[in-house]
Structures are given as C-alpha cells and as structure tokens.
C-alpha cells in the first residue's frame, strides 16, 4: 500500500471510570501517516494505554499524544516501537490535579535502517503529583534511536515526585542512540531524579 492519512482520536474518561486502550500499528507499506491522540482523565479516573508499533520498513509515522490528568487520576502507559522507516512519537503528560499520577514506560528497538524518535515531556502543574518514566533503547545495524525525556515542575507544584530513567544498548558499531534527559524545577520541596 502507498499513500498518506491523518487521524485524530479523543478519549475522555469520566470521574472514577476505568479504561484500557490497546493501540497496534502494524505493516502498512510505503505510507505516511500522522496521528493525534487527546486523552483526558477526570478526577479519580484510571486509564491503561498500551501502544505497539511494528510498521513496515518503508512506513513514516508522526504520532502525538497529549494526556491531561486531573486530581487523584492515574494514567499508565506502555510504548513499544520496533519498525518503520522513520517513526516520531511525542508524548505530553499534564498532571493538572492534586495527587495525579503518570506511569510511562517504553522500549525503542531500532533495527536495519530504521530511525525511532521519541520526545516525552511530563509537566507537574499541581501539588503532590507523581510521575515515573522508565524507558529503554536498543539499536542494531545502521539504525538510530533518539530519546528526549523532560520533566517540568511548575511553581506551586510542591510535593511533586518525579523520576526518569533511560538506559540504552548499542548492538552494532554503525548504530546510534542519542538520549537527553532534562529537568526544570520551579517549586520547593520536590523529589526529582534522572
């Protein structure tokens, strides 16, 4: 298959509700696709979102997810990228209510001539919020993996607890992995590590 398409998805999880989303991108041929996901969790909601990408070696994909997490809500996310010619994934987490929590893990497994590019930003906008971000990367052949992980703690988001871990392994002398962790803290009495 050849061509291009753009998709927009919206998930709104009501107060106290629970939802599991399984998102699988596979095959596709020589395609360019652009996808935007907006996920909104109301107070006390819980969403588990699993994304698996095993696209054709000719496929180009731009994928963005914006998750807005209210007080006492929890967003649990797992991303596994293995395939495509060029795949860029941008994940933006907004912890907007007290005791909001985001747990995000992922694997970038680049093989052949693939380029996998992930940009993750978690923004703590309320007190006593928590994020735990655990990402791993593997690159083989002439593949390239890029990872940017940012944590931003706004003024007034006291009591925030933020952890980012990104470890990578090169499996070939021609493979490349670029990683950049970033912390921006504008509040007192926080716990942050990368």
């Amino acid at each position: 298959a050849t061509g291009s398409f753009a998709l927009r998805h919206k998930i709104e999880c009501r107060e106290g509700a629970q939802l599991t989303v399984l998102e699988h991108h596979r095959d596709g041929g020589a395609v360019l696709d652009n996808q935007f996901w907006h996920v909104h969790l109301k107070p006390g909601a819980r969403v588990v979102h699993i994304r698996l990408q095993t696209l054709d070696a000719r496929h180009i994909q731009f994928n963005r997810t914006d998750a807005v997490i209210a007080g006492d809500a929890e967003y649990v996310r797992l991303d596994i990228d293995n395939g495509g010619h060029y795949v860029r994934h941008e994940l933006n987490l907004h912890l907007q209510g007290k005791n909001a929590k985001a747990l995000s893990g992922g694997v970038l497994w680049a093989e052949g001539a693939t380029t996998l590019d992930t940009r993750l930003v978690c923004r703590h906008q309320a007190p006593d919020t928590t994020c735990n971000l655990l990402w791993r990367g593997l690159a083989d052949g002439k593949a390239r993996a890029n990872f940017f992980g940012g944590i931003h703690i706004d003024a007034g988001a006291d009591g925030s607890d933020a952890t980012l871990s990104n470890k990578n392994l090169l499996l070939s002398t021609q493979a490349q992995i670029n990683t950049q962790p970033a912390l921006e803290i504008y509040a007192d009495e926080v716990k942050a590590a990368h």
Side-chain angles (χ1 to χ4, degrees):
T2 60
S4 64
F5 60 90
L7 299 174
R8 184 180 179 117
H9 313 277
K10 183 175 182 180
I11 298 171
E12 188 171 304
C13 199
R14 300 288 174 149
E15 192 168 337
Q18 295 190 22
L19 175 68
T20 299
V21 177
L22 302 174
E23 178 185 346
H24 188 190
H25 304 265
R26 61 187 178 91
D27 303 327
V31 174
L32 167 64
D33 82 84
N34 185 357
Q35 300 201 26
F36 176 71
W37 290 74
H38 179 78
V39 182
H40 192 179
L41 282 73
K42 299 285 187 178
R46 184 172 193 271
V47 172
V48 175
H49 192 166
I50 299 168
R51 177 182 155 269
L52 173 62
Q53 180 275 114
T54 55
L55 293 169
D56 183 280
R58 299 168 293 160
H59 199 114
I60 297 172
Q61 181 181 71
F62 297 92
N63 194 331
R64 176 176 168 167
T65 304
D66 288 347
V68 178
I69 305 153
D72 297 312
E74 182 179 50
Y75 185 56
V76 179
R77 184 171 178 111
L78 174 64
D79 290 278
I80 300 173
D81 278 299
N82 176 239
H85 174 67
Y86 177 84
V87 176
R88 179 180 171 99
H89 180 219
E90 185 177 331
L91 176 58
N92 300 301
L93 306 170
H94 303 272
L95 300 169
Q96 291 188 344
K98 187 173 181 176
N99 296 319
K101 182 185 283 188
L103 306 173
S104 174
V107 175
L108 302 174
W109 184 357
E111 300 177 289
T114 295
T115 298
L116 301 176
D117 191 1
T118 294
R119 181 174 176 82
L120 166 64
V121 176
C122 184
R123 188 171 196 119
H124 294 254
Q125 298 172 291
D128 302 322
T129 53
T130 303
C131 78
N132 191 348
L133 314 172
L134 177 67
W135 285 73
R136 299 294 181 253
L138 298 160
D140 200 0
K142 294 181 181 179
R144 171 179 246 178
N146 302 311
F147 177 82
F148 173 86
I151 295 173
H152 185 103
I153 301 177
D154 287 356
D158 297 322
S160 292
D161 185 352
T163 304
L164 169 65
S165 173
N166 178 237
K167 295 181 181 178
N168 301 287
L169 183 62
L170 291 171
L171 302 174
S172 161
T173 58
Q174 295 180 313
Q176 292 181 24
I177 297 178
N178 303 301
T179 184
Q180 181 184 3
L183 292 175
E184 289 184 51
I185 302 171
Y186 299 98
D188 298 324
E189 300 180 22
V190 301
K191 190 161 100 176
H194 67 79

